[in-house]
């Protein structure tokens, strides 16, 4: 009986165990190496659920913003991205350098297929042609109106975001990076959705906090098991309960904190025109068309781009209160000269500083001055600290930076040097507005009929003839984008054909728009449509941006220089306070036409708004304005030739040109700082490289490499103890970097035999030729150890300790010096 039991036990031990199950008839089959994909989630399925909540709260926020149509495809794309990311993170056979490119290709193909299905009814050839046209347009500096490009990009990015989130969590074990990547996308979209969708942020934050807690608990439990410690089976559930309570408490506390603080200096640095972020944003707006998104309730939002699209969603809050001797004047903030086919921007600009009270004017005649004292109640939204005032501000009671166009010298905007406007601020501006009557303006010819003029180099003070237009003015304000609908020109010619003078033609365009189109803020330009053409021929309704743009474009089509201006209307008069009250709903855009010698004249093409009044008779023969002791031209009845900024006698008069320009100086300072930082960084890298090459230079190659490995490991917190042998130390390194375990152990073996083996024996590396392997081993180990040290910067912990040691040494040195001085004095 005993022998039979021993025989049976021997048979069980000696027989191979089947891999596929416990059946008696199962045979042993070799594994397929390519099929070893481990899909088990040791971190628990709840971690995957929380990861999905974090990612989907971000993606659904993008869908809620409704940038373009058919964003519902993101739900499936995100699910596929999460699945691909989990599989890629859990498999161990394929290198990440192969997995990531495959994921990118898969995301692009999926995005291409879904976009073609959604926007082109499955016609992939047509979509490919659209992409080809987009590339041509981008290379030629054009503006895209095809929103399928945005759908393609956002679909691909949603797949890659979900894939990267799963990879960061399950492979690189970096939940914080995953959360930051999703938070970046979420916060961009939160400002473009209705306030009720803030629930996405709440869900995101709760899920993120719980995921961090769950993941850190899992990592800690792994470490505890390695140390032989035991913990309660209910510990995970107790931690999650406590974490949920703490997370909700943090959100409630954050909700109660005050919000809305803006640092003016930081804001100006962030929003300066040549800020790389602003330039990237402008490039994105030019190349990627979106027709959706939600504009938050505001009381006026003024930027360096005037967009045609979306409800402005203006509130009725009071913005300004104005005391003035002429309440009919609008408040202008910025003018625009370039139409891109989708929005209005400005060409190249420059700026000069203007001291408080210093006058500035452009040399136009028939001007009259008005004064406005403006009190800020609720500051408007601005991407630059604009000063508001009637058109052609001449003086302000505070210093400002005057932005002008490089091409023709005309003023774009006045920027307040003390930062953006804030509630309670008040300032006074004096503006020179046109005093020309209708008869005078009717006498100004069209540019095509204007007299020619060649400056006399021997008579620099000679004035050009009446009605002369500077070529720089015409180049800037007759600009039209390529590919504009020819029907716009045909319509403009038909409207203006019965009239002879430029003023009458401009008035005809103004009246046509006022009488034939409807004011409506709830409009949306269809995908791929050019806004002005759509407004004139298909939509036939819109708000002030559409009316002003349409008149400016039609005026340019018939040779009339025109531009668009943004600001506020004059508001309503309050008889009790004797002030004009301007509200958010008074935010407005209108058209200005340039008349040679008389400057910019306002026109109001928007239906339901009152037209501008003109003087009954011209004051040309007698009007002279003398602000601050400086007389404006006009007494002799001769308009001055526009003087460009680079010519002698700059038309921007009485401005201290030697003062530093704030808008230009700031980016220069930032550039110098970044350049200096880059130079220091390069020098530091060079010094470190020289020191690293000379390290352990007097030793044999095995000692040099093993010493450098030990030094890098000590920077990451893995130091060699006195009791450890090189083999034991290599084993500790292999545990920290299991992917390089074989290489580290091989290096340690060669190092030990080089140091302690008999040099004449065959096992010595120099005799066996194994020393030649060391450069190859070091080439593999060096970048990975440097990366490991950067990811685990244990060496930074030594800085406070070094400082503590340094202070007693300095105090001891000073004490020794004082003792020496005292002893010398005694002697």
């Amino acid at each position: 009986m005993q022998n039979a039991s021993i025989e049976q036990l021997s048979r069980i031990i000696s027989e191979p165990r089947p891999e596929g199950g416990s059946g008696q008839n199962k045979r042993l089959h070799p594994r397929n190496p390519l099929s070893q994909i481990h899909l088990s989630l040791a971190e628990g399925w709840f971690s995957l659920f929380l990861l999905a909540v974090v990612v989907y709260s971000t993606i659904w926020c993008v869908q809620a913003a409704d940038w373009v149509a058919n964003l519902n495809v993101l739900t499936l794309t995100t699910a596929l991205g999460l699945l691909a990311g989990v599989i890629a993170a859990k498999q161990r056979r394929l290198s990440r350098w192969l997995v990531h490119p495959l994921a990118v290709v898969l995301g692009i193909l999926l995005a291409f297929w879904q976009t073609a299905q959604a926007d082109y009814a499955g016609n992939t050839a047509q979509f490919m042609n659209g992409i080809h046209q987009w590339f041509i347009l981008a290379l030629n500096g054009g503006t895209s109106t095809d929103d399928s490009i945005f759908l393609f990009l956002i679909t691909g990015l949603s797949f890659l975001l979900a894939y990267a989130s799963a990879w960061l969590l399950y492979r690189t074990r970096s939940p914080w990076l995953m959360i930051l990547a999703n938070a970046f996308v979420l916060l961009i979209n939160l400002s473009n959705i209705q306030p009720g969708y803030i629930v996405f942020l709440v869900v995101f934050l709760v899920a993120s906090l719980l995921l961090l807690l769950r993941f850190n608990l899992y990592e800690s439990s792994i470490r505890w098991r390695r140390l032989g410690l035991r913990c309660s089976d209910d510990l995970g559930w107790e931690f999650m309960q406590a974490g949920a309570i703490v997370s909700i408490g943090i959100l409630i506390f954050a909700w109660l904190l005050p919000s809305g603080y803006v640092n003016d200096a930081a804001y100006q640095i962030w929003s300066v025109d040549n800020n790389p972020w602003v330039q990237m944003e402008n490039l994105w707006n030019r190349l990627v068309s979106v027709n959706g998104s939600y504009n938050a309730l505001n009381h006026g939002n003024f930027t360096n781009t005037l967009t045609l699209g979306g409800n402005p969603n203006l509130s009725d809050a009071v913005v300004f209160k104005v005391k003035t001797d002429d309440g009919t004047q609008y408040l202008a903030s910025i003018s625009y000269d370039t139409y891109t086919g989708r929005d209005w921007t400005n060409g190249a600009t420059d700026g000069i500083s203007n001291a408080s009270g210093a006058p500035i004017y452009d040399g136009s005649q028939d001007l009259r001055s008005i004064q406005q004292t403006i009190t800020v109640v609720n500051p408007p939204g601005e991407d630059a600290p604009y000063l508001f005032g009637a058109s052609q501000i001449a003086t302000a009671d505070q210093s400002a930076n005057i932005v002008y166009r490089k091409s023709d010298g005309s003023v774009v905007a006045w920027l307040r040097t003390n930062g953006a406007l804030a509630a309670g601020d008040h300032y006074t501006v004096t503006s020179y507005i046109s005093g020309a009557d209708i008869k005078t303006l009717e006498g100004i010819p069209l540019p095509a009929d204007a007299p020619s003029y060649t400056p006399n180099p021997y008579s620099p003070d000679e004035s050009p003839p009446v009605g002369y237009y500077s070529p720089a003015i015409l180049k800037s304000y007759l600009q039209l984008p390529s590919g504009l609908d020819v029907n716009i020109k045909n319509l403009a010619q038909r409207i203006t054909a019965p009239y002879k003078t430029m003023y009458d033609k401009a008035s005809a365009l103004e009246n046509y728009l006022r009488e034939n189109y409807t004011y409506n803020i709830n409009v949306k330009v269809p995908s791929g449509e050019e806004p002005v053409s759509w407004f004139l021929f298909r939509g036939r309704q819109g708000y002030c941006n559409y009316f002003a743009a349409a008149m400016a474009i039609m005026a340019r089509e018939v040779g009339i220089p025109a531009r668009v201006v943004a600001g506020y209307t004059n508001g309503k008069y309050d008889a009790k306070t004797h002030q004009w009250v301007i509200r958010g709903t008074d935010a407005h855009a209108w058209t200005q036409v340039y008349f040679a010698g008389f400057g910019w004249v306002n026109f109001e093409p928007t239906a339901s708004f009152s037209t501008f009044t003109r003087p009954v008779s011209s004051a040309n023969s007698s009007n002279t304005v003398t602000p601050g002791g400086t007389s404006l031209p006009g007494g002799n009845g001769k308009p001055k030739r526009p003087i460009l900024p680079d010519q002698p006698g700059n038309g921007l008069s009485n401005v201290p040109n030697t003062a530093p320009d704030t808008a230009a100086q700031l980016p220069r300072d930032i550039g110098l700082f970044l350049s200096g930082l880059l130079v220091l960084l390069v020098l530091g890298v060079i010094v470190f490289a020289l020191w690293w090459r000379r390290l352990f230079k007097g030793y044999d190659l095995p000692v040099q490499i093993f010493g450098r490995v030990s030094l890098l490991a000590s920077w990451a917190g893995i130091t060699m103890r006195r009791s450890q042998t090189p083999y034991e130390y290599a084993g500790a390194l292999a545990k920290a970097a299991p992917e390089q375990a074989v290489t580290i152990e091989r290096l340690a073996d060669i190092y030990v035999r080089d140091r302690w083996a008999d040099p004449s024996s065959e096992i010595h590396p120099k005799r066996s030729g194994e020393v030649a392997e060391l450069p190859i081993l070091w080439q593999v180990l060096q970048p990975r150890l440097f990366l490991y040290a950067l990811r685990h910067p244990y060496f930074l912990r030594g800085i406070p300790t070094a400082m503590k040691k340094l202070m007693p040494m300095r105090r001891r040195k000073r004490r020794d010096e004082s003792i020496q001085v005292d002893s010398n004095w005694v002697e």
Side-chain angles (χ1 to χ4, degrees):
M1 185 70 178
Q2 183 178 5
N3 293 336
S5 301
I6 294 174
E7 184 179 355
Q8 183 178 2
L9 178 63
S10 176
R11 190 183 306 113
I12 293 174
I13 294 174
S14 61
E15 286 182 356
R17 184 175 301 173
E19 295 285 340
S22 58
Q24 295 181 356
N25 297 325
K26 290 189 179 268
R27 303 177 64 182
L28 183 63
H29 296 284
R31 288 184 181 180
N32 183 359
L34 295 178
S35 65
Q36 296 184 18
I37 299 177
H38 304 285
L39 293 178
S40 60
L41 285 178
E43 300 84 357
W45 293 103
F46 188 59
S47 67
L48 179 60
F49 170 75
L50 292 175
L51 172 64
V53 172
V54 169
V55 175
Y56 269 106
S57 60
T58 302
I59 297 302
W60 284 338
C61 184
V62 175
Q63 290 178 287
D66 194 26
W67 297 102
V68 293
N70 301 315
L71 284 177
N72 57 304
V73 301
L74 299 184
T75 300
L76 175 61
T77 305
T78 303
L80 295 176
L82 283 173
L83 179 62
V86 172
I87 294 175
K90 290 300 179 179
Q91 64 84 30
R92 298 296 179 186
R93 285 295 175 182
L94 299 179
S95 168
R96 60 181 177 177
W97 304 113
L98 177 61
V99 170
H100 293 339
L102 288 176
V104 172
V105 172
L106 177 61
I108 293 174
L109 293 176
L110 181 62
F112 182 87
W113 174 72
Q114 289 198 309
T115 305
Q117 292 291 329
D119 284 354
Y120 292 89
N123 191 333
T124 56
Q126 187 177 356
F127 180 43
M128 182 63 75
N129 181 63
I131 295 177
H132 176 70
Q133 295 299 324
W134 181 82
F135 272 108
I136 295 176
L137 181 144
L139 294 175
N140 293 330
T143 300
S144 172
T145 58
D146 185 3
D147 62 0
S148 63
I149 299 297
F150 179 84
L151 180 62
F152 171 67
L153 292 176
I154 202 66
T155 304
L157 289 176
S158 67
F159 176 89
L160 294 178
L161 177 64
Y163 170 84
S165 298
W167 178 272
L168 289 172
L169 183 66
Y170 292 120
R171 187 63 172 265
T172 65
R173 327 298 286 181
S174 306
W176 274 109
L177 286 178
M178 181 274 296
I179 292 172
L180 288 176
N182 284 273
F184 178 76
V185 179
L186 177 70
L187 293 177
I188 288 176
N189 289 274
L190 276 178
S191 60
N192 294 281
I193 60 177
Q194 298 182 19
Y197 286 110
I198 194 70
V199 66
F200 286 129
L201 179 61
V202 175
V203 172
F204 175 85
L205 292 176
V206 171
S208 299
L209 291 172
L210 292 178
L211 181 59
L212 285 173
L213 183 64
R214 178 75 181 88
F215 196 80
N216 287 330
L217 178 62
Y218 169 76
E219 295 284 292
S220 299
S221 65
I222 295 296
R223 188 168 62 254
W224 294 338
R225 283 198 292 269
R226 287 176 180 172
L227 296 175
L229 301 177
R230 299 181 62 185
C231 59
S232 172
D233 294 336
D234 297 333
L235 186 62
W237 174 245
E238 293 174 357
F239 263 75
M240 298 307 294
Q241 281 183 315
I245 295 173
V246 172
S247 301
I248 295 173
I250 291 174
L251 289 177
I252 294 174
F253 177 73
W255 190 274
L256 296 176
L257 290 176
S259 62
Y261 171 76
V262 176
N263 184 280
D264 291 337
Y267 177 83
Q268 291 182 60
I269 294 174
W270 179 256
S271 60
V272 68
D273 285 346
N274 47 4
N275 183 321
W277 175 259
V278 174
Q279 293 179 345
M280 185 182 300
E281 185 179 17
N282 292 336
L283 180 63
W284 173 269
N285 292 333
R286 180 174 67 85
L287 295 181
V288 181
S289 173
V290 293
N291 292 307
S293 81
Y294 166 82
N295 292 327
L297 196 66
N298 66 90
H299 36 268
N301 193 17
F302 300 92
T303 67
N304 55 9
T305 300
L306 185 74
T307 303
L308 302 180
N311 187 331
N313 205 14
L314 298 172
S315 73
D316 197 44
V318 176
V319 181
F320 297 127
K321 291 185 177 180
V322 182
K323 288 185 177 180
T324 178
D325 49 359
D326 185 352
T328 64
Q329 297 301 316
Y330 287 2
L331 297 183
S333 65
I334 182 173
S335 62
Y336 304 95
D337 65 355
T338 302
Y339 182 58
T340 64
R342 191 182 66 178
D343 47 36
W344 287 84
T345 61
N346 281 302
T349 60
D350 205 344
I352 52 177
S353 296
N354 192 52
S356 174
I360 183 171
Y361 56 92
D362 62 2
S364 300
Q365 65 173 347
D366 266 0
L367 300 174
R368 61 187 180 90
S369 66
I370 67 164
Q371 192 176 76
Q372 297 167 312
T373 299
I374 301 171
T375 301
V376 182
V377 180
N378 289 295
E382 302 175 296
D383 72 348
Y386 299 117
L387 278 177
F388 291 77
S391 187
Q392 299 185 80
I393 297 177
T395 64
D397 64 351
Q398 51 192 279
S399 59
N401 180 57
I402 301 173
V403 181
Y404 64 88
R405 292 181 182 84
K406 290 183 177 180
S407 59
D408 59 271
S410 57
V411 174
V412 174
W414 283 53
L415 303 183
R416 188 169 179 255
T417 56
N418 292 332
L421 296 173
D425 288 347
H426 62 273
Y427 61 94
T428 300
V429 293
T430 300
S431 299
Y432 299 155
I433 64 175
S434 176
D437 60 8
I438 295 177
K439 184 177 180 181
T440 301
L441 295 176
E442 287 178 337
I444 306 301
L446 284 160
D449 302 326
S452 60
Y453 171 71
T454 302
N456 187 348
Y458 302 103
S459 301
D461 295 332
E462 178 184 356
S463 298
V466 176
Y468 168 76
Y469 288 89
S470 166
I473 291 286
L474 299 181
K475 182 179 179 181
S476 296
Y477 300 105
L478 291 179
Q479 172 270 339
L480 291 168
S482 59
L484 200 61
D485 187 355
V486 295
N487 292 318
I488 299 177
K489 183 175 184 179
N490 295 335
L491 176 62
Q493 290 176 338
R494 187 169 67 251
I495 295 170
T496 58
Y499 304 95
K500 300 300 182 183
T501 69
M502 187 172 80
Y503 177 83
D504 291 337
K505 290 178 181 291
S507 298
L509 295 173
E510 177 188 46
N511 293 330
Y512 178 83
L513 291 169
R514 295 176 60 84
E515 295 170 0
N516 293 277
Y517 295 87
T518 305
Y519 185 86
N520 183 8
I521 58 175
N522 295 309
V523 294
K524 183 177 180 180
V525 180
S527 174
E529 291 266 13
E530 188 273 311
V532 172
S533 176
W534 173 84
F535 169 74
L536 289 174
F537 305 112
R538 291 171 292 283
R540 305 192 67 83
Q541 59 181 343
Y543 52 92
C544 56
N545 292 14
Y546 293 89
F547 284 89
M551 178 174 176
I553 293 300
M554 286 198 294
R556 292 182 177 189
E557 288 283 20
V558 293
I560 299 175
R563 68 183 184 184
V564 173
V565 183
Y568 289 92
T569 67
N570 54 327
K572 294 183 178 180
Y573 183 69
D574 185 352
K576 294 181 179 179
T577 60
H578 304 290
Q579 297 181 106
W580 291 83
V581 179
I582 298 175
R583 299 181 178 274
T585 50
D586 295 318
H588 195 50
W590 63 98
T591 309
Q592 288 185 338
V593 173
Y594 185 81
F595 290 84
F598 294 84
W600 294 101
V601 176
N602 293 324
F603 285 83
E604 180 54 271
T606 305
S608 75
F609 285 78
S610 300
T611 58
F612 292 98
T613 57
R614 313 285 180 212
V616 176
S617 60
S618 176
N620 183 42
S621 59
S622 60
N623 182 39
T624 301
V625 184
T626 58
T630 302
S631 299
L632 283 177
N636 56 10
K638 295 181 180 180
K640 286 194 173 181
R641 174 174 61 90
I643 303 175
L644 299 181
D646 57 348
Q647 291 179 324
N650 189 340
L652 302 173
S653 306
N654 295 343
V655 177
N657 292 321
T658 58
D661 172 39
T662 304
Q665 185 68 28
L666 188 59
R668 283 197 294 268
D669 293 341
I670 296 174
L672 288 174
F673 172 76
L674 294 178
S675 300
L677 192 63
L678 181 61
V679 169
L680 290 177
L681 181 63
V682 171
L683 289 177
V685 171
I686 293 174
V687 171
F688 177 81
L690 293 175
W691 172 78
W692 186 253
R693 288 177 63 87
R694 295 178 59 85
L695 191 64
F696 305 115
K697 188 175 182 181
Y699 296 92
D700 292 338
L701 184 60
V703 178
Q704 291 183 28
I705 295 179
F706 193 81
R708 288 174 178 169
V709 169
S710 302
L711 182 60
L712 286 173
S714 67
W715 289 351
I718 308 174
T719 56
M720 177 184 287
R721 296 192 297 270
R722 290 174 178 265
S723 60
Q724 283 182 313
T725 66
Y727 287 124
E728 292 173 337
Y729 185 59
L733 293 180
K735 288 182 180 180
E739 296 179 353
Q740 303 301 322
V742 176
T743 306
I744 294 173
E745 291 171 358
R746 177 64 173 163
L747 173 63
D749 181 56
I750 295 176
Y751 167 73
V752 169
R753 287 189 285 115
D754 177 78
R755 295 290 292 169
W756 289 286
D758 185 0
S760 60
S761 67
E762 295 295 332
I763 64 172
H764 195 279
K766 292 181 180 178
R767 298 272 298 178
S768 63
E770 292 172 293
V771 174
E773 296 181 23
L774 292 177
I776 301 175
L777 297 177
W778 178 236
Q779 187 177 6
V780 174
L781 280 177
Q782 182 175 225
R784 289 165 174 78
L785 290 177
F786 266 113
L787 182 60
Y788 185 85
L790 291 175
R791 292 175 59 186
H792 305 80
Y794 185 84
F795 59 91
L796 295 179
R797 300 183 182 181
I799 295 178
T801 304
M803 295 297 295
K804 290 180 181 179
K805 291 181 179 179
L806 182 61
M807 294 303 295
M809 291 176 59
R810 295 187 63 182
R811 286 197 295 267
R812 192 181 304 114
K813 183 178 180 181
R814 284 197 295 266
R815 185 184 61 193
D816 294 342
E817 291 176 350
S818 62
I819 293 173
Q820 181 67 29
V821 171
D822 292 341
S823 62
N824 292 337
W825 182 81
V826 170
E827 293 176 359

